[in-house]
Amino acid sequence: MSYSGPTDLYIDGEWIASESGETFETVDPASEDVYATVVQASPDDVDAAVAAADRAAGRDSEWRSMDPRERGKRLNAMADAIEDRKEEIVLVESHDNGKTPFEAGLDVDMVIDTFRYYAGWTDKVQGDEVPVPGNRFNYTVREPLGVTAHVIPWNYPFQLAGRSLAPALACGNTAVLKPSSTTPLSAMYYALAAEEAGIPDGVVNVVPGRGSTAGNALVEHPGVEHIAFTGSTGVGKGVMERAAQNVTGVTLELGGKGPNIVFPDADLDAAAGGVHYGIFMNAGQMCWAGSRLLVHEEIHDEFVDRLVERAEATTLGSGIDDDGRMGPVVDESQQAEVLEYVETGKEEGATVATGGGVPESRDEGYFVEPTIFTDVTNDMTIAREEIFGPVLSVIEFADREEAIEIANDSPYGLMSGIWTTDLETAHTTAEYLDYGMVSINEYPVTQPQTPFGGFKESGSGREQGTEALHEYTQTKNVNVNLD
Ligand code: NDP
């Protein structure tokens, strides 16, 4: 099936070709066929998008001066437009990224909820009165930043774009969205939704293109006031460095190596379900994947048996097969990288309990078998690096202190999980984990209302919840001398 949605750049309310005339192709990872040819934004196009967003963000612009309640209505209308097109977006995302329709459906639902959540905040972003000495009146105002850039990876293309767009727009900012060149298509649906919701021209701009050209031009642009970057820690560090040249604010949502800690008193059925879901969902291509399983020595063998059974019962399917429970990884190079990690795991002494290769049942598509390694120690490459594929590394521990020590011994600090029926174990372990998110007896879980972000090299700043309202506003202090 071929793609029939938009493929042009969306700048200042117009669908246009690139100045350079260049295009690029996207491939369906389940069939290895070209799925769409998309216009490729050049640095000049990025310049035009930032200029349009800048005009639309001006103090007297329609968007900036709009009654906040009206802005909320338009965000709700964007949510409605996305909801109306849900089926189409799910199909496009499945073809473009490889995720199953079930997974793509969850992503679209999360975006709808996120837009509705922030639509409710538009008339509640307020300042404070500050008690100061003397005969003075002192207050703060929370103002929008202006042009915000949104640089998005390929693993959750639609959901991650919506996660930062919704709060940025709710706070009265304008946006330039650069999706990954691996999965550029679902981003187009934000432009369609903005058009249908009556969002003024220039408020939402979409510039599909390569990271090294369009992405680079966007993060270096002096007209951009804030960069919401979601992607790898390596690229994120470079973005931060370049943003510093213009003192541009950044929110960095980067990689992870999540520990899922299973204590012997846990409900093992529930834990096995959560651990399985936490690593094989989205074919393991998740920043918050529970890619390290820390399991107590008393239950190690029994628990691994349960996981192996589940992994071997997982059906692999193309993005559009209804019975496919795990899709392919996103492209050929990602498949090669994951398989290389598997080889490294073996060479370093870990044991493949199941999987470890390309499934024989599929003769096309970039599939990798659900893979579980046992006999892993925390110094092995497969325990330290983000594999970004369906590979679980199982590490044994003897007591809580050791579990916490292993969990925290990582450059990352994004998502962590705890499985126990003991309240004291749950809360004490949560207190000691150096992670931005801890989930107890459920993995992984997040909502538009809850802050999302990491400690250490997993990032800086937070998306979602009320925290994002701080990321997308700046405080102005006004002092009035009353003498
Ligand atoms: P990358 O860092 O490779 O790319 C992320 C985005 O940055 C893409 O749009 C990419 O464009 C763009 N980009 C690449 N190079 C540059 C550059 N020099 N300047 C500006 N932009 C650039 O990440 P992946 O797409 O490979 O995504 C996987 C990573 O994302 C994993 O590490 C994962 O953990 C992380 N992630 C973090 C999340 C979080 O919330 N913490 C959520 C989801 C993923 P292009 O693709 O066209 O090269």
Side-chain angles (χ1 to χ4, degrees):
M1 191 183 291
S2 61
Y3 172 75
S4 57
T7 53
D8 284 345
L9 313 178
Y10 185 72
I11 298 176
D12 209 9
E14 305 273 345
W15 293 96
I16 55 170
S18 169
E19 286 281 314
S20 69
E22 284 187 62
T23 58
F24 64 101
E25 291 178 337
T26 77
V27 171
D28 181 334
S31 65
E32 304 178 30
D33 293 333
V34 172
Y35 180 52
T37 302
V38 178
V39 169
Q40 179 168 191
S42 68
D44 285 346
D45 298 317
V46 169
D47 218 24
V50 173
D54 191 44
R55 284 193 298 279
R59 210 166 268 281
D60 297 323
S61 67
E62 184 187 352
W63 187 239
R64 178 77 185 262
S65 54
M66 187 178 279
D67 176 344
R69 291 170 304 176
E70 178 57 29
R71 204 182 316 127
K73 281 186 194 159
R74 308 257 177 126
L75 289 191
N76 264 321
M78 275 188 81
D80 292 342
I82 291 166
E83 201 159 19
D84 288 348
R85 291 180 184 273
K86 178 177 169 185
E87 226 173 281
E88 188 181 343
I89 300 170
V90 164
L91 196 68
V92 167
E93 195 81 320
S94 291
H95 278 293
D96 206 19
N97 165 281
K99 60 177 69 197
T100 62
F102 169 72
E103 292 164 336
L106 294 179
D107 295 358
V108 178
D109 287 343
M110 179 72 170
V111 167
I112 295 165
D113 289 348
T114 303
F115 270 80
R116 297 210 190 288
Y117 171 72
Y118 284 108
W121 270 110
T122 53
D123 61 352
K124 298 170 193 72
V125 177
Q126 60 194 44
D128 284 318
E129 185 230 325
V130 189
V132 290
N135 191 19
R136 296 185 180 94
F137 175 52
N138 191 294
Y139 62 95
T140 61
V141 184
R142 301 259 299 276
E143 294 198 348
L145 302 164
V147 180
T148 59
H150 303 257
V151 182
I152 304 300
W154 48 257
N155 62 334
Y156 284 87
F158 193 65
Q159 193 255 314
L160 296 173
R163 179 176 77 174
S164 60
L165 266 184
L169 298 178
C171 293
N173 300 287
T174 59
V176 179
L177 166 61
K178 201 228 57 90
S180 167
S181 52
T182 310
T183 53
L185 301 176
S186 57
M188 308 294 189
Y189 288 81
Y190 286 107
L192 288 175
E195 274 185 329
E196 285 167 19
I199 303 288
D201 292 349
V203 172
V204 174
N205 304 275
V206 184
V207 287
R210 307 268 178 218
S212 52
T213 50
N216 198 42
L218 190 55
V219 301
E220 287 187 345
H221 204 294
V224 169
E225 296 296 337
H226 182 90
I227 302 163
F229 175 84
T230 308
S232 59
T233 295
V235 176
K237 285 179 183 177
V239 167
M240 199 172 195
E241 256 178 47
R242 276 168 296 138
Q245 303 312 309
N246 297 313
V247 198
T248 306
V250 285
T251 311
L252 297 175
E253 295 289 354
L254 310 175
K257 193 72 193 175
N260 225 335
I261 308 173
V262 183
F263 288 99
D265 65 338
D267 172 342
L268 295 190
D269 255 352
V275 170
H276 176 93
Y277 183 71
I279 183 63
F280 298 126
M281 171 91 174
N282 218 39
Q285 301 163 114
M286 299 183 287
C287 53
W288 65 349
S291 49
R292 285 186 298 159
L293 166 65
L294 276 46
V295 60
H296 193 274
E297 59 191 13
E298 260 175 38
I299 54 163
H300 175 275
D301 293 356
E302 181 197 346
F303 195 66
V304 168
D305 285 349
R306 286 178 191 237
L307 290 175
V308 167
E309 198 179 313
R310 277 176 185 268
E312 291 178 352
T314 301
T315 53
L316 298 177
S318 78
I320 55 167
D321 282 349
D322 281 340
D323 63 350
R325 299 292 306 282
M326 193 179 90
V329 296
V330 78
D331 61 18
E332 196 172 5
S333 69
Q334 189 65 16
Q335 185 193 42
E337 202 170 311
V338 173
L339 294 173
E340 206 177 306
Y341 271 114
V342 171
E343 287 315 305
T344 305
K346 290 185 206 163
E347 280 160 26
E348 292 183 3
T351 306
V352 177
T354 187
V358 172
E360 282 172 13
S361 58
R362 310 280 321 180
D363 50 14
E364 61 184 20
Y366 308 118
F367 290 89
V368 176
E369 290 174 314
T371 300
I372 298 176
F373 271 112
T374 52
D375 301 317
V376 178
T377 53
N378 203 43
D379 56 351
M380 289 182 185
T381 307
I382 56 168
R384 304 210 71 77
E385 295 183 13
E386 186 182 41
I387 298 175
F388 231 56
V391 181
L392 180 67
S393 301
V394 185
I395 304 172
E396 247 183 76
F397 68 85
D399 56 30
R400 181 163 81 202
E401 287 65 33
E402 192 189 10
I404 291 168
E405 192 183 317
I406 297 170
N408 287 342
D409 178 14
S410 171
Y412 296 111
L414 191 60
M415 185 80 184
S416 55
I418 300 168
W419 297 86
T420 178
T421 48
D422 181 75
L423 268 181
E424 194 272 329
T425 302
H427 287 288
T428 306
T429 310
E431 181 189 344
Y432 280 87
L433 286 175
D434 296 332
Y435 283 78
M437 294 172 285
V438 182
S439 188
I440 299 167
N441 293 335
E442 190 175 20
Y443 194 103
V445 65
T446 188
Q447 315 285 350
Q449 300 82 356
T450 60
F452 193 109
F455 288 11
K456 301 194 274 186
E457 293 201 7
S458 286
S460 155
R462 294 290 179 274
E463 295 291 357
Q464 298 182 178
T466 54
E467 305 235 354
L469 300 171
H470 290 274
E471 302 284 345
Y472 295 104
T473 52
Q474 53 194 339
T475 303
K476 178 184 277 179
N477 179 244
V478 181
N479 182 64
V480 187
N481 179 1
L482 297 176
D483 282 335

